[in-house]
Amino acid sequence: MRRFNAKQVLVGRPLDTSRLGETLLPKRLALPIFCSDPLSSVAYATEEILLVLALGGVTLLHLAWYAAAAIVFLLVVVVASYRQTCYAYPGGGGAYVVSAENLGATAALTAASALLVDYVLTVAVSVVSGVAAITSAVPSLHDHQVALSVGFVTVLTLLNLRGVRESGRIFAIPTYGFVAVIYVMFLIAGIRLATGTTIRAESAQLPIHQAGTYTGIALVLLAMRAFASGCTALTGVEAISNGVPAFQKPKSRNAAATLAAMGILSVTMFVGITTLALVYKVHVTADPTELGLPPGTATSTALAQIARATFGHVDVLFYLVQAFTAGVLVLAANTAFNGFPMLASILARDRYAPRQLYNRGDRLVYSNGVVLLALAAIALIIAFDAELTRLIQLYIIGVFVSFTLSQAGMVRHWRKELSTGPAAPRRRKIHRSLAINAIGAALTGLVLVIVLITKFTHGAWLVIIAMPVLFLGMKGVRRHYEQVARQVAVSSTERPRKPARHHVLVLVASVHAPTLKAIGFAQALRPSTLTALTVAADEDAERLRQQWSEHALDVPLKILHSPYREVVGPLIAYVQERAAADPDAMVSVVIPEYIVGHWWEQPLHNQNALRLKARLLFTPGVAVIDVPYLLQSARPQETAAARTPSGPDT
Amino acid sequence: MRRFNAKQVLVGRPLDTSRLGETLLPKRLALPIFCSDPLSSVAYATEEILLVLALGGVTLLHLAWYAAAAIVFLLVVVVASYRQTCYAYPGGGGAYVVSAENLGATAALTAASALLVDYVLTVAVSVVSGVAAITSAVPSLHDHQVALSVGFVTVLTLLNLRGVRESGRIFAIPTYGFVAVIYVMFLIAGIRLATGTTIRAESAQLPIHQAGTYTGIALVLLAMRAFASGCTALTGVEAISNGVPAFQKPKSRNAAATLAAMGILSVTMFVGITTLALVYKVHVTADPTELGLPPGTATSTALAQIARATFGHVDVLFYLVQAFTAGVLVLAANTAFNGFPMLASILARDRYAPRQLYNRGDRLVYSNGVVLLALAAIALIIAFDAELTRLIQLYIIGVFVSFTLSQAGMVRHWRKELSTGPAAPRRRKIHRSLAINAIGAALTGLVLVIVLITKFTHGAWLVIIAMPVLFLGMKGVRRHYEQVARQVAVSSTERPRKPARHHVLVLVASVHAPTLKAIGFAQALRPSTLTALTVAADEDAERLRQQWSEHALDVPLKILHSPYREVVGPLIAYVQERAAADPDAMVSVVIPEYIVGHWWEQPLHNQNALRLKARLLFTPGVAVIDVPYLLQSARPQETAAARTPSGPDT
């Protein structure tokens, strides 16, 4: 029972498909589940902008205003675009689906590769930056970032294996809590600033060692790079359009509304945080030494500095901000845990991914996908030593690839709609949507180019390699499945062909209950020929012949001499011979098997049977028949339970 | 072909049993093969004595004389005793066999546990000390002792998988070479000393930091411990009596003669080396700091110091000694590679060890045993960080346990012989043998006690735990096999029972070639009932029903609704039901299997079949029938080769 129990405790009782309805999400739950990613990204977006500008020294920090403004504009456009998608694709309009329907397989697969990469990065980046929030509050944990991050991913995995509904509950509190404390922070900051208090971040006094002087093109590029880094604020916006089917009816309307709410929250928080960062003169750099601090100093995140400065000596509020920030960030990873398995399952359905990803697990989620995502993210976290700024570099490309493709897809979609010649009012709506998506496509495309230019040398190349690899991998899987399908396809006229003759070979080592059972069974098959087969290892052959006569067995006994004391080889050879000798017959090899109940008993029994079976399956025209003989330790009362899955009826 | 080829290159072409004769050993080959262990142990025995005495400071080193004398005496007695065994047990008289025949199972298993532990330690100790000889000559390698040791064990494993004969050839040179260079060293040393030269070891001037003052009991104990450590010189003496059957005829005579030769060589070399060590005033300690050297200094072995001192500036001779010492020591491990698998195979024959150890591999050796031994030794080397003096502590107990038991067994053996009332001349011979073995038993028993007393606290406890564990493990294995034998035993009156009815269930997912093949085959079995079985995952059920009618399949289709989208559980439940419904019938589950040729294609196909089979085997009254469908990638021309064993005919 143990395996089963453990599973239940961790993953919960299985859900009936008929309960799928119950797991549909009201807006108030959908927001935290699908938006924890875009909302939480404001926790680090500002910092990433400042980090880049810091290269140009303190004087360039003011450029953050422009970067932020551009990002806000972009965010509004993208949200507007995806709202169109929610209406156009109530069945879920992920970049993959939209591109597939409007731009063809290649575009779709490109989008898919981008999304898969991004889901993994969402988990990695969010969790790592959540841990950064924690270590900003508890510097002593600074050296355990990798361990903490991996731990959080593991926890998330288990939560998600429990199914989306419970997740919703669990995730609502931190997300709303985060939004709340940030607004409280704005309020207090506003009051204090309005009353003429000058507030400075702890790092305001620190000089920034200027990496270089940026003028002309260099300056533009730096600004563009800052902008590109800030675009992390947009990550995860598409999650909602992906998850429309998970919403309560009216699905599209609710989804669009949730998307709008998310947009408003993101924009306000992002603007607020950026403003305070600049007003408080927060100085952040990738390397503490550039701030004149000793190497390896545990520096605080920009948000942590803002919070500390705002709340002064009211520590409890500061810790509250850090706690909720950490919470929402770790949960942001959950967006991916919802999106990745769903996408993987769609890909599996379309034969671009292994079939296992299509199947649902016991709970109403796609277990395999969840586990796969978790493993990939953990690998990434360990590989990049849980360093946020290095991971961020990989992050944004995929996002904008999928943005651009899905927006372009939408444009094509509306074009098609128009071509059907709808009525005037509908036409106007379509024209409006078309315009919105066109702007979205153009803008995200432009940003993609900027990101590519500015980030390539900073690690983005990794993604630019990973995506084509995934792309080709998926194509390969599809090709394989198609080949197989072709190979096994049958015309409706085809009927099962009964083999002309059936030769049965029973493997025997000595005469005992399992052997007799196997022989009895073999006789019940009423074969054309029945032969008992053995390999003469040492003197066993003679003993066997005697037993044979003792038991007066009327089955002919064929003894194979094995010059190499190798059992499997000669057997295979003989079976192949028999099969070749009578091509339109079927040859069955009956293997009497000892079945033991305890794992440690297994190695005590000759492994020949196992190796033999594996090999026989590759012999054309041969079937393998296992006739198990259950030893006491394997008798049902004991094992049925242990080996029964999580269904009450079994 | 690859696996096959690689194996051939490393392990050589398979040997025919009929060639077993060829691999019988002439004395000149038997000596190096069976005696590299006892001969090589003189390379460290002396040093181990000095290491212990050094604790009492320089003044106690002279006690080495007495320890050495006692060891020589012991060696002579043990050799004499085992010569008797060679005659009494031409079929191989290892401690296990002798105890089993004369002292019963418990004694035999005790001996076996002791031997198994010792074989592992022989490999570890010999290889490590061989590496020490190398690092004495090439100090720069001092930090890679673990890696080197593991490397050598690996090489030995491969050599031994090639079979005993080639081994003989390979091992003759270093063994004889070692003996030769040692004698040359004695000659030169003798001449130089005779001509009045005073020779001093490099460490002669180093003061030995005295760990404590030893008087009375403490002194006696220290002396005894020194003696016990020196007893490593006796390890491996039993190897020959074990290997009598491997000798050319007259087996016993040749074995006894070889044993005698080994004894003479060991004694002379041991005495010579000890003498020179004392004359040259070699100072060795476990920890260089006790010699007033900086910690971690790479010190030379006693033998290395003797050689360097003897040959003065004739470096080539010094390096020759080190090379051959290293060679013979690494090969000493080979004694175990001969003994361990043979013993394991005997234990397996007697059902005390897993059956796999009984089977021979392709070559005329017991491959499984060889690999097992190698792994255990490597584990030990890594665990003890390749430190000789720590490993030595574990070494000697097992040796003397088996010595004592086998000598005691011989005494009992001769007693039985006498009870048969043989003729006078034979009586005398028996009395003589009896006397020799009695002395041997008494003496080795005494030494065992000494070893236990003096070594227990120095790590020997590990062995004293390991031996009972092995003992119980082997008893457990035997018990299991006996239980199984009882469970499957049948009286000669029993006949195969044909099941009254045969219900066949064919698993189907959709209608394609593999399904049709399986159904056709199932029909050929002419079952009492034939049912096609499927689990309705999502909308697949409907599609299947349509295909079913399209193909006008006259087999009833049973569709199982799976509320948990779990395939295996419901199937098992249904099959169990069917089996329970008709107890005296047999239920067969026919599984159409896709067989793919490339490992990477495997995960692309649903793993349900695999999990299902594993579970079905545990369902009473159910047989599993695999009807493989070979996809192109698995068609013979390509795979037969890849999956064919090392037999020419396949």
Side-chain angles (χ1 to χ4, degrees):
Chain A
M1 296 292 290
R2 52 210 173 294
R3 210 178 97 274
F4 172 45
N5 272 343
K7 196 175 167 197
Q8 263 208 5
V9 172
L10 291 172
V11 181
R13 281 209 26 272
L15 293 176
D16 190 325
T17 320
S18 59
R19 286 181 52 198
L20 192 47
E22 294 179 25
T23 64
L24 285 180
L25 299 165
K27 288 200 285 296
R28 67 173 195 296
L29 277 186
L31 184 71
I33 288 179
F34 291 114
C35 305
S36 50
D37 177 12
L39 290 178
S40 65
S41 51
V42 302
Y44 51 83
T46 304
E47 179 167 1
E48 290 304 319
I49 298 175
L50 297 176
L51 276 170
V52 174
L53 293 175
L55 297 173
V58 184
T59 52
L60 293 189
L61 293 183
H62 71 281
L63 290 176
W65 291 117
Y66 305 96
I71 289 161
V72 168
F73 175 63
L74 187 62
L75 188 53
V76 172
V77 171
V78 171
V79 167
S81 308
Y82 271 108
R83 279 169 53 82
Q84 310 311 316
T85 314
C86 292
Y87 287 108
Y89 289 91
Y96 173 75
V97 176
V98 175
S99 334
E101 268 191 34
N102 302 297
L103 307 174
T106 307
L109 270 193
T110 313
S113 329
L115 286 168
L116 290 175
V117 169
D118 258 6
Y119 281 131
V120 175
L121 280 160
T122 305
V123 176
V125 167
S126 305
V127 168
V128 164
S129 119
V131 169
I134 293 175
T135 54
S136 300
V138 191
S140 59
L141 292 174
H142 192 267
D143 299 340
H144 306 87
Q145 289 182 321
V146 174
L148 282 170
S149 307
V150 173
F152 280 123
V153 174
T154 315
V155 172
L156 276 175
T157 309
L158 293 175
L159 288 176
N160 276 278
L161 290 174
R162 286 191 69 88
V164 76
R165 187 99 184 291
E166 285 84 339
S167 313
R169 294 249 176 70
I170 298 169
F171 298 134
I173 301 107
T175 311
Y176 287 124
F178 173 69
V179 175
V181 289
I182 294 296
Y183 278 134
V184 171
M185 185 173 77
F186 291 163
L187 189 69
I188 294 177
I191 294 168
R192 289 187 62 192
L193 291 170
T195 55
T197 329
T198 42
I199 310 176
R200 287 282 173 271
E202 63 218 54
S203 60
Q205 311 317 332
L206 298 174
I208 294 180
H209 163 73
Q210 184 171 340
T213 46
Y214 292 81
T215 54
I217 290 296
L219 183 59
V220 175
L221 274 174
L222 190 71
M224 279 183 3
R225 205 177 125 203
F227 163 75
S229 294
C231 286
T232 44
L234 278 79
T235 55
V237 171
E238 79 286 354
I240 285 182
S241 64
N242 249 319
V244 178
F247 278 80
Q248 283 176 349
K249 295 196 171 62
K251 294 177 180 294
S252 297
R253 167 99 51 75
N254 288 333
T258 313
L259 195 47
M262 184 274 284
I264 294 161
L265 292 175
S266 294
V267 169
T268 48
M269 290 197 293
F270 175 61
V271 171
I273 291 171
T274 310
T275 311
L276 292 184
L278 291 170
V279 172
Y280 292 2
K281 303 207 180 311
V282 171
H283 293 175
V284 285
T285 58
D287 175 0
T289 58
E290 289 170 355
L291 293 170
L293 298 170
T297 312
T299 53
S300 294
T301 63
L303 184 57
Q305 296 189 36
I306 295 170
R308 205 181 272 115
T310 307
F311 299 128
H313 296 302
V314 191
D315 283 350
V316 57
L317 285 171
F318 162 72
Y319 285 114
L320 217 54
V321 171
Q322 292 314 104
F324 278 120
T325 309
V328 74
L329 277 165
V330 169
L331 300 184
N334 191 61
T335 320
F337 275 101
N338 282 283
F340 182 96
M342 227 180 280
L343 175 59
S345 153
I346 296 173
L347 287 167
R349 186 201 62 204
D350 298 352
R351 298 301 200 197
Y352 284 119
R355 197 79 180 130
Q356 290 94 308
L357 294 171
Y358 179 58
N359 302 339
R360 283 159 171 256
D362 289 343
R363 307 283 297 181
L364 303 182
V365 288
Y366 308 94
S367 310
N368 290 333
V370 168
V371 172
L372 203 61
L373 172 64
L375 292 179
I378 288 176
L380 214 51
I381 290 172
I382 293 173
F384 280 80
D385 203 16
E387 285 178 27
L388 183 60
T389 22
R390 283 172 62 205
L391 282 166
I392 288 272
Q393 306 304 325
L394 315 184
Y395 197 10
I396 309 149
I397 293 175
V399 181
F400 279 89
V401 169
S402 53
F403 278 172
T404 313
L405 283 168
S406 79
Q407 297 315 319
M410 287 309 295
V411 172
R412 176 74 65 86
H413 169 81
W414 298 125
R415 281 261 183 67
K416 279 193 258 162
E417 290 273 306
L418 285 174
S419 64
T420 63
R426 176 105 180 91
R427 281 189 78 79
R428 269 195 301 288
K429 287 196 59 171
I430 294 180
H431 273 298
R432 200 174 126 282
S433 305
L434 178 57
I436 295 173
N437 286 124
I439 298 167
L443 215 56
T444 50
L446 175 66
V447 175
L448 175 58
V449 175
I450 296 176
V451 174
L452 281 173
I453 294 167
T454 56
K455 297 224 166 251
F456 184 83
T457 53
H458 296 84
W461 57 269
L462 200 62
V463 175
I464 294 163
I465 291 169
M467 279 172 51
V469 169
L470 275 169
F471 183 93
L472 294 175
M474 291 189 283
K475 265 190 128 46
V477 170
R478 169 70 169 253
R479 198 178 313 109
H480 172 79
Y481 281 126
E482 278 166 350
Q483 282 170 357
V484 170
R486 263 197 308 283
Q487 287 181 42
V488 301
V490 289
S491 73
S492 59
T493 60
E494 231 164 305
R495 299 280 170 274
R497 269 194 17 271
K498 243 166 100 169
R501 277 165 303 288
H502 184 210
H503 306 295
V504 175
L505 306 170
V506 183
L507 297 187
V508 297
S510 74
V511 178
H512 46 43
T515 315
L516 294 182
K517 185 185 179 192
I519 292 175
F521 177 74
Q523 288 167 333
L525 303 178
R526 288 182 260 149
S528 326
T529 72
L530 175 56
T531 320
L533 192 59
T534 193
V535 174
D538 312 359
E539 67 293 327
D540 308 344
E542 208 21 67
R543 192 174 41 68
L544 186 57
R545 264 208 208 77
Q546 287 169 14
Q547 293 181 320
W548 215 252
S549 51
E550 267 177 32
H551 289 261
L553 292 170
D554 55 359
V555 179
L557 173 64
K558 167 74 178 173
I559 296 177
L560 298 175
H561 169 63
S562 163
Y564 303 103
R565 287 162 312 292
E566 219 260 312
V567 180
V568 177
L571 279 173
I572 296 289
Y574 179 80
V575 174
Q576 283 171 334
E577 218 172 275
R578 287 294 297 268
D582 188 350
D584 34 336
M586 192 77 178
V587 176
S588 299
V589 179
V590 177
I591 302 178
E593 268 202 272
Y594 283 44
I595 303 299
V596 289
H598 309 299
W599 61 266
W600 52 264
E601 293 176 321
Q602 209 49 58
L604 292 179
H605 295 280
N606 236 325
Q607 303 303 304
N608 284 336
L610 211 66
R611 286 163 49 216
L612 188 65
K613 265 187 288 181
R615 298 265 317 279
L616 281 173
L617 290 178
F618 285 88
T619 317
V622 175
V624 178
I625 304 183
D626 273 314
V627 181
Y629 185 90
L630 273 64
L631 297 170
Q632 260 133 36
S633 61
R635 296 285 160 78
Q637 61 278 12
E638 180 177 343
T639 53
R643 283 179 183 61
T644 299
S646 45
D649 47 349
T650 47
Chain B
M1 297 294 288
R2 50 206 176 295
R3 208 176 100 273
F4 174 44
N5 272 347
K7 196 175 167 196
Q8 263 208 3
V9 173
L10 292 172
V11 179
R13 283 210 23 272
L15 293 176
D16 191 323
T17 320
S18 58
R19 284 181 52 198
L20 192 49
E22 293 177 26
T23 63
L24 286 180
L25 299 165
K27 288 200 287 294
R28 64 171 197 294
L29 278 185
L31 185 70
I33 288 178
F34 291 114
C35 304
S36 50
D37 177 14
L39 290 179
S40 65
S41 51
V42 302
Y44 50 83
T46 304
E47 180 168 0
E48 290 305 319
I49 299 175
L50 297 177
L51 276 170
V52 175
L53 294 175
L55 296 173
V58 183
T59 52
L60 293 188
L61 292 185
H62 70 280
L63 289 176
W65 291 118
Y66 305 97
I71 289 160
V72 169
F73 175 63
L74 188 60
L75 187 53
V76 172
V77 171
V78 171
V79 167
S81 309
Y82 271 107
R83 279 169 52 83
Q84 311 312 316
T85 315
C86 292
Y87 286 108
Y89 289 92
Y96 173 74
V97 176
V98 175
S99 332
E101 269 194 31
N102 303 297
L103 307 174
T106 309
L109 271 192
T110 314
S113 332
L115 287 168
L116 291 175
V117 169
D118 258 6
Y119 281 130
V120 175
L121 279 160
T122 304
V123 175
V125 167
S126 306
V127 168
V128 165
S129 116
V131 168
I134 293 175
T135 55
S136 300
V138 191
S140 59
L141 292 173
H142 192 266
D143 299 340
H144 306 88
Q145 288 181 323
V146 174
L148 282 169
S149 306
V150 172
F152 280 125
V153 174
T154 315
V155 172
L156 275 174
T157 310
L158 293 177
L159 288 176
N160 276 278
L161 289 175
R162 286 190 69 88
V164 76
R165 185 100 183 294
E166 286 82 338
S167 314
R169 294 248 177 70
I170 299 169
F171 297 134
I173 301 107
T175 311
Y176 287 123
F178 173 68
V179 175
V181 288
I182 294 297
Y183 280 132
V184 169
M185 184 173 78
F186 291 164
L187 190 68
I188 295 178
I191 293 168
R192 289 187 61 194
L193 292 170
T195 55
T197 328
T198 41
I199 311 176
R200 289 279 172 273
E202 61 216 56
S203 61
Q205 312 316 332
L206 299 173
I208 295 179
H209 163 72
Q210 186 172 338
T213 46
Y214 292 81
T215 53
I217 291 295
L219 182 59
V220 174
L221 273 174
L222 190 72
M224 277 177 13
R225 207 177 122 203
F227 163 75
S229 295
C231 287
T232 44
L234 277 80
T235 55
V237 171
E238 77 286 355
I240 285 181
S241 63
N242 250 319
V244 178
F247 279 80
Q248 283 175 350
K249 293 196 175 63
K251 295 177 180 294
S252 297
R253 167 98 48 77
N254 288 332
T258 313
L259 195 47
M262 183 275 283
I264 295 162
L265 292 176
S266 295
V267 170
T268 48
M269 289 197 292
F270 176 61
V271 170
I273 291 171
T274 312
T275 311
L276 292 184
L278 292 169
V279 171
Y280 292 0
K281 303 209 180 310
V282 172
H283 292 176
V284 286
T285 57
D287 176 358
T289 58
E290 288 168 356
L291 293 171
L293 300 169
T297 313
T299 52
S300 293
T301 63
L303 184 56
Q305 295 189 35
I306 295 170
R308 205 181 271 114
T310 308
F311 299 128
H313 295 303
V314 190
D315 283 351
V316 58
L317 283 170
F318 163 73
Y319 284 113
L320 215 56
V321 171
Q322 293 314 104
F324 277 121
T325 309
V328 74
L329 276 165
V330 169
L331 301 184
N334 191 61
T335 320
F337 274 102
N338 282 285
F340 183 95
M342 226 180 282
L343 175 59
S345 157
I346 297 173
L347 287 167
R349 185 201 62 203
D350 297 353
R351 299 299 203 197
Y352 284 118
R355 197 78 181 135
Q356 291 94 306
L357 293 170
Y358 179 56
N359 303 340
R360 285 160 171 255
D362 290 344
R363 305 284 295 183
L364 303 181
V365 286
Y366 307 94
S367 310
N368 290 332
V370 168
V371 172
L372 204 62
L373 172 63
L375 294 178
I378 288 176
L380 214 51
I381 290 171
I382 294 172
F384 280 79
D385 203 16
E387 285 179 27
L388 183 62
T389 22
R390 283 173 60 207
L391 283 166
I392 288 273
Q393 307 303 324
L394 316 183
Y395 196 10
I396 308 147
I397 293 174
V399 181
F400 279 90
V401 169
S402 54
F403 278 173
T404 313
L405 283 168
S406 79
Q407 298 315 317
M410 287 308 295
V411 171
R412 176 74 66 87
H413 170 81
W414 297 123
R415 281 261 182 69
K416 281 192 258 166
E417 287 275 305
L418 285 174
S419 64
T420 62
R426 174 107 181 90
R427 281 189 81 77
R428 266 193 305 285
K429 287 196 58 173
I430 294 179
H431 272 297
R432 203 175 125 279
S433 304
L434 178 58
I436 296 172
N437 286 125
I439 297 168
L443 214 55
T444 49
L446 174 67
V447 175
L448 175 57
V449 175
I450 295 176
V451 174
L452 280 173
I453 294 169
T454 56
K455 298 226 166 245
F456 184 83
T457 54
H458 296 84
W461 59 269
L462 200 63
V463 174
I464 294 161
I465 291 167
M467 279 173 49
V469 169
L470 275 169
F471 182 93
L472 295 174
M474 291 189 283
K475 264 190 130 44
V477 169
R478 169 70 169 254
R479 198 179 312 106
H480 172 79
Y481 280 127
E482 279 165 350
Q483 283 170 359
V484 169
R486 262 198 308 283
Q487 289 180 39
V488 302
V490 289
S491 71
S492 59
T493 60
E494 233 165 300
R495 300 278 170 273
R497 267 191 21 268
K498 246 167 94 170
R501 279 165 302 286
H502 184 208
H503 305 295
V504 175
L505 307 169
V506 184
L507 297 187
V508 298
S510 76
V511 178
H512 45 43
T515 315
L516 293 182
K517 185 187 178 191
I519 292 175
F521 177 74
Q523 288 167 331
L525 303 178
R526 288 180 260 148
S528 325
T529 71
L530 175 56
T531 321
L533 193 58
T534 193
V535 175
D538 310 0
E539 67 295 326
D540 306 345
E542 209 21 68
R543 193 174 39 69
L544 187 57
R545 261 208 209 76
Q546 287 168 10
Q547 293 181 321
W548 214 253
S549 49
E550 268 178 32
H551 289 262
L553 291 170
D554 56 358
V555 180
L557 172 63
K558 167 75 178 171
I559 296 177
L560 298 175
H561 169 63
S562 163
Y564 304 102
R565 290 162 310 291
E566 218 260 313
V567 181
V568 177
L571 278 174
I572 296 289
Y574 180 78
V575 174
Q576 283 171 335
E577 219 171 87
R578 288 294 298 268
D582 188 352
D584 33 335
M586 192 77 178
V587 175
S588 300
V589 179
V590 177
I591 302 177
E593 268 202 273
Y594 282 41
I595 304 298
V596 289
H598 310 299
W599 62 266
W600 53 264
E601 292 176 322
Q602 208 50 56
L604 292 180
H605 296 280
N606 236 322
Q607 303 304 306
N608 283 337
L610 212 66
R611 286 163 50 216
L612 187 66
K613 264 186 290 179
R615 298 266 317 280
L616 281 173
L617 290 178
F618 285 88
T619 317
V622 174
V624 178
I625 304 183
D626 273 312
V627 181
Y629 186 89
L630 274 61
L631 298 171
Q632 259 133 37
S633 61
R635 295 285 159 80
Q637 61 278 13
E638 182 178 341
T639 53
R643 283 181 183 60
T644 299
S646 43
D649 46 349
T650 47

